[in-house]
Structures are given as structure tokens and as C-alpha cells.
Amino acid sequence: MREISTEQISDAVREMCIEAAHTLSPDMAEALEGAACKEEAPLGKEIIGQLKENLDVAKSEMIPICQDTGMAVFFVEIGQDVHISGGALEDAINEGVSRGYTEGYLRKSVVKDPLDRINTGDNTPAVVHYSVVPGDSFKITLAPKGFGSENMSRVFMLKPADGRDGVVNAVVQAVSDAGPNACPPMVVGVGIGGTFEKCALLAKKALTRPVDKGAADPFYRQMEEEILEKVNWLGIGPAGLGGTVTALAVNIETYPTHIAGLPVAVNICCHANRHASREL
Ligand code: SF4
């Protein structure tokens, strides 16, 4: 049994909140670099240039990439031979979020109740998804999510007969409906299979996969490429002002499903597709 203290966890979370708000992972930075060459519209090119400049300024002057520093979403993979000492794991994560957002001067965007809308003041609570894995590893990934793009996400409960084409059309429709609201160029996370809630979780998790790493299964990798091409034909372009780069990547994750259904979720992320991970 390996022991990890709540202090180690909250310290790591604090650091990750500040890191993710100011720097994109290398794959995202490279994707924007590539988009600058691919974009055919002069205005689109100019906007991608501004996004790259924004990234440089964010990193060098420690100013958040975007004013919306997001709701803190975590994926925790915890080995079944790990013991957390010093308190509750979720309290430790929230403690780290509170310190990260307060000490890092990041915008606090979370309200205590969805209807009375009173701000919690420190961006807690986080949304935490756990998976228990064999062994004694502990991996925590933060994906802070802005709601310009989150609000454009969709779940489609398709019929099995809709098949592959039905899935492709649903994803393209979701991106088309999102238009400029998701702050393109976007990353499109797609979850196929499972149940209503499982496909949404798969779509969210898909956004944390590096954008230069296609699906392991060649069938789904080919589907990712086809959807990306179709999405870019929509002409929404950078910042929604027209162009040939509407999305940087489409990432698909799948799971077995019921004989009577074909759930599909689309979780869209903006060009600020932020994440940070730690292994403790
Ligand atoms: S969708 Fe992304 S880029 Fe747009 S405001 Fe929200 S966090 Fe910022």
C-alpha cells in the first residue's frame, strides 16, 4: 500500500491550475502553428497569428490565456493500492483549486447553486471523475473548461440504424450549430457508445488526448479525419469570421453500448484547450 498525503495532492492541484491557465500543452501550441499555414483566408490567418501572440504573452507575462479560466474538471486515476492520508481526497482537490485560483489571480466562475447564482468566491467545487486502476499509481489531470464552448456541447441518442453516417452528421451538425460561439478554431471531443451519461464523459475525456494523436483504432481514426475535413468545410473559421480552419482536431473515444441504442456526445472546446497532469 503506497501512501499519498492530501497536502501533496492540493499542492499539485494548485500548481496545475496556474500552469493550465497560462500555457497550452505542446501539441496544442503546435496545432495552432500548423493552422497558421493551413488557413487560406487572410483574416483567418491574421486571427491565428493573434492567438499565437496571445499564447506567448500569456506565458511570458503570466496573464491567463483567456479571461474565462473555466470550471476545474479533473480526471483522477487512482491505483487500488494507494492510501490517501490526511483527509478526504476530494477536499484536497478543492483546497488546491481554491489556492490555485485565489493565489494565481484567476477568474472565479463557479456559482453555488445553478439557480440562485451566488459565486462561491474561489472557483470550487471542482468536477471530479474517478477511475480506480490496478497497482499503486496516482495520476491527476486537470482540464479547466470555459463555458463559451461547453454551452455548445450536445448529446444525441441516435438509433443503431443511423450507423456511422448518422454519427458523422450529428457531430458536424453540433459544430455547425456552435458556429462562432465556441471560440474557434476548436477541438471536438466525441464520445460514442455507453449510456446517456457515459458518452458525455467519453467526449469530455477525448479533449484531454493530445490533438496530434489519433484514435488507436484505424476505423475511428479515419472517422476523425473525415469529420475534421467536413467541419472545416463549414467555413466558420478562426473566431467565426470565416476561413478554412474551424477545428484543429476531432478526438473520438468509444465504449460498448446497448443493442437498442447509439448514444453520441459532442463536447466542444475552444482554441484554449487547456490541461495539465501530474503523477504522484
Ligand atoms: S470558450 Fe474558451 S476562448 Fe472562448 S471565452 Fe471561453 S475559455 Fe475563452
Side-chain angles (χ1 to χ4, degrees):
M1 184 70 68
R2 192 163 73 89
E3 198 158 294
I4 299 176
S5 70
T6 49
E7 200 183 339
Q8 275 174 281
I9 294 165
S10 44
D11 285 351
V13 167
R14 175 196 175 276
E15 241 179 56
M16 288 157 69
C17 290
I18 296 173
E19 177 187 309
H22 297 93
T23 49
L24 287 187
S25 51
D27 59 296
M28 273 302 294
E30 267 168 40
L32 268 181
E33 201 66 53
C37 304
K38 276 187 218 145
E39 178 54 63
E40 289 170 21
L43 183 56
K45 256 190 195 306
E46 197 181 319
I47 287 164
I48 292 174
Q50 289 173 358
L51 294 177
K52 288 196 314 167
E53 191 186 344
N54 180 55
L55 280 188
D56 292 341
V57 172
K59 197 172 177 180
S60 62
E61 299 190 23
M62 286 301 278
I63 297 169
I65 297 164
C66 180
Q67 43 74 36
D68 183 353
T69 47
M71 188 161 192
V73 178
F74 289 89
F75 290 95
V76 177
E77 272 178 32
I78 180 166
Q80 58 196 18
D81 297 329
V82 170
H83 174 245
I84 307 293
S85 63
L89 170 56
E90 197 146 327
D91 289 348
I93 293 172
N94 281 321
E95 166 71 18
V97 169
S98 174
R99 283 170 49 212
Y101 276 74
T102 307
E103 294 164 22
Y105 303 102
L106 308 178
R107 196 182 84 180
K108 288 75 177 176
S109 309
V110 175
V111 294
K112 188 163 189 243
D113 180 280
L115 291 181
D116 77 11
R117 317 294 300 178
I118 295 170
N119 199 300
T120 61
D122 63 358
N123 221 52
T124 64
V127 174
V128 189
H129 305 291
Y130 299 95
S131 44
V132 178
V133 297
D136 63 359
S137 62
F138 183 91
K139 184 176 179 194
I140 181 162
T141 299
L142 161 68
K145 194 67 171 67
F147 263 51
S149 54
E150 188 74 353
N151 286 338
M152 297 296 114
S153 302
R154 302 271 291 275
V155 171
F156 302 88
M157 298 306 285
L158 299 182
K159 296 185 281 301
D162 291 324
R164 185 187 181 282
D165 288 351
V167 175
V168 171
N169 292 340
V171 179
V172 175
Q173 187 60 52
V175 175
S176 171
D177 293 346
N181 296 338
C183 297
M186 51 186 102
V187 178
V188 186
V190 181
I192 309 173
T195 50
F196 176 79
E197 83 286 3
K198 179 70 179 180
C199 70
L201 189 53
L202 289 172
K204 172 81 66 194
K205 198 160 187 195
L207 291 174
T208 65
R209 195 213 300 157
V211 290
D212 53 2
K213 200 170 159 211
D217 181 331
F219 174 83
Y220 286 106
R221 195 159 61 241
Q222 199 275 329
M223 213 168 146
E224 289 175 344
E225 285 160 13
E226 181 184 331
I227 296 172
L228 181 62
E229 205 176 322
K230 289 192 166 162
V231 156
N232 285 334
W233 283 343
L234 293 171
I236 297 167
L241 294 171
T244 52
V245 181
T246 296
L248 300 171
V250 175
N251 284 0
I252 296 177
E253 293 291 325
T254 65
Y255 196 79
T257 192
H258 191 279
I259 49 170
L262 176 51
V264 179
V266 183
N267 193 205
I268 297 177
C269 194
C270 55
H271 57 84
N273 182 27
R274 298 159 285 196
H275 28 84
S277 286
R278 294 288 186 277
E279 285 181 43
L280 301 181

